[in-house]
DNA sequence: CTTGACAAACTAATATTATTAGTCTATAGT
DNA sequence: ACTATAGACTAATAATATTAGTTTGTCAAG
């Protein structure tokens, strides 16, 4: 080791995640992270590969946490209950950790195997929850995309302050999910 | 006038919109805009109020264009056809102009009457399209939020490269919309 | 116990960018 | 013709990211 100040990549990423959640991913700077850790800015380069590297680590953290939340939300549930729980967990994660969630949305580099694998794992969790609907292979993927669009779209709009009117947002989300599920059963594998 | 180089706010915003669409809103810099216009950076301050001001102008442009697209998409259509057309137009706009669309998502300042009014106008367009479903006042707002979440969520995920698998995205989107519409009729104003 | 290699901090230097202050000049309106 | 000004400019400042090179504890081998 060295004249070390006990900094690790994990600590850097944790502090960055807190800052990104609090002030937005766009406002995250290495200077802030360094100040929070009590080191000079260039020292961070010993632990992360610059700002792009740090954002990639944030994405890894976010996808891992998100996947865990979704999986945990589904245990002991089935059918519509499970789908509702997963979607609610998705929304809750976005609202609780908007910064790290934003990091997960950027498409991973084509050669980033770890990130690709994590994404596939999360998709797998949702596929499992949708299995009982017997939508077929393609139909299931369409449904995963639909459910993810709904959860992502609602939560990110909500987080951005996009729902101005004073109408309960929990109700809006629940209605949207129920409509989607009813439609899934009704339309089956139509067009 | 002055030893003018023919710069106007409109030209500044137009160039900024092109750059934001091409390279992402986050990568938009005043330096780039100035270079593209053939002026020095500080000269832009005669036309826009710094980077935040420019982004606000981009939001105005984006909401105005988006609202126009949605309105135009709905003329001569009714019921499901109209809703589908509006949603497709929403997605098409996001994909065609991701930079200016991203600018529209940030919540407008509470004292920004122009932006608030434009947002309300766009909501009004969607409310009109949903009127025939007779969902009631609150039900209509819930449905507007749902439809917007679907279009925003799908389009932004797609634009970010979030749909990796080789499965037709047009079909995914159409299925999602049909499921939502079928669910709207089925569940009516349930929970 | 010494010593040498290295990890991890540092300082210093450079490049971008945004912003503000103040200057200059061509032109529009009197 | 004169003048006020809009709209360009230069200059200066501050924040950030990045790279290069330096220093210094600490760990482990001899």
């Amino acid at each position: 080791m060295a004249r070390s100040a006990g900094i690790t990549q994990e600590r850097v990423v944790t502090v960055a995640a807190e800052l990104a959640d609090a002030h937005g991913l766009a406002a995250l700077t290495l200077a802030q992270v360094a100040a929070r850790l009590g080191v000079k800015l260039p020292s961070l380069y010993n632990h992360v590969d610059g700002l792009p590297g740090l954002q990639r680590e944030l994405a890894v953290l976010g996808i891992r946490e998100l996947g865990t939340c979704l999986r945990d939300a589904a245990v002991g549930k089935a059918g519509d209950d499970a789908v509702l729980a997963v979607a609610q967990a998705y929304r809750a994660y976005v609202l609780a950790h908007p910064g790290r969630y934003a990091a997960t949305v950027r498409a991973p580099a084509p050669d980033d195997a770890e990130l690709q694998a994590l994404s596939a794992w999360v998709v797998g969790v949702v596929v499992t929850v949708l299995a009982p609907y017997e939508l077929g292979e393609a139909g299931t993927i369409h449904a995963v995309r639909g459910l993810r669009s709904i959860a992502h779209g609602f939560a990110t709009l909500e987080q951005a302050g996009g729902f101005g009117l004073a109408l309960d947002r929990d109700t809006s989300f629940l209605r949207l999910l129920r409509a989607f599920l009813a439609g899934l059963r009704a339309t089956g594998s139509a067009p």
Side-chain angles (χ1 to χ4, degrees), chain A:
Chain A
M1 291 290 181
R3 92 214 236 194
S4 168
I7 309 293
T8 65
Q9 185 185 76
E10 189 183 348
R11 289 230 296 145
V12 172
V13 174
T14 299
V15 166
E18 288 166 4
L19 288 170
D21 287 340
H23 307 87
L25 181 64
L28 177 67
T29 66
L30 292 181
Q32 280 180 327
V33 175
R36 187 70 88 83
L37 287 167
V39 299
K40 300 294 170 133
L41 195 157
S43 303
L44 298 180
Y45 282 76
N46 290 314
H47 305 285
V48 293
D49 192 10
L51 193 56
L54 178 58
Q55 287 169 346
R56 203 223 82 139
E57 298 305 323
L58 274 185
V60 169
L61 175 67
I63 295 188
R64 192 169 282 150
E65 288 182 348
L66 178 63
T68 303
C69 286
L70 300 191
R71 177 169 49 69
D72 290 356
V75 310
K77 303 195 173 157
D80 286 7
D81 276 356
V83 175
L84 288 178
V86 165
Q88 311 265 28
Y90 197 112
R91 175 179 168 228
Y93 185 81
V94 175
L95 296 182
H97 301 293
R100 51 194 98 177
Y101 177 73
T104 71
V105 174
R106 325 228 242 238
D111 60 341
D112 192 334
E114 183 188 10
L115 217 42
Q116 304 269 5
L118 277 171
S119 295
W121 167 62
V122 177
V123 170
V125 170
V126 182
V127 165
T128 303
V129 168
L130 289 173
Y133 292 79
E134 296 179 355
L135 301 164
E137 196 171 339
T140 301
I141 300 298
H142 288 309
V144 170
R145 288 179 174 177
L147 189 58
R148 185 171 173 216
S149 295
I150 285 173
H152 166 80
F154 191 95
T156 54
L157 285 174
E158 182 180 16
Q159 203 276 321
F163 297 146
L165 301 181
L167 186 64
D168 186 62
R169 294 190 294 268
D170 294 349
T171 305
S172 293
F173 191 53
L174 195 55
R175 279 216 197 189
L176 172 55
L177 292 171
R178 284 204 199 287
F180 173 69
L181 287 174
L184 254 199
R185 299 207 184 269
T187 65
S189 51

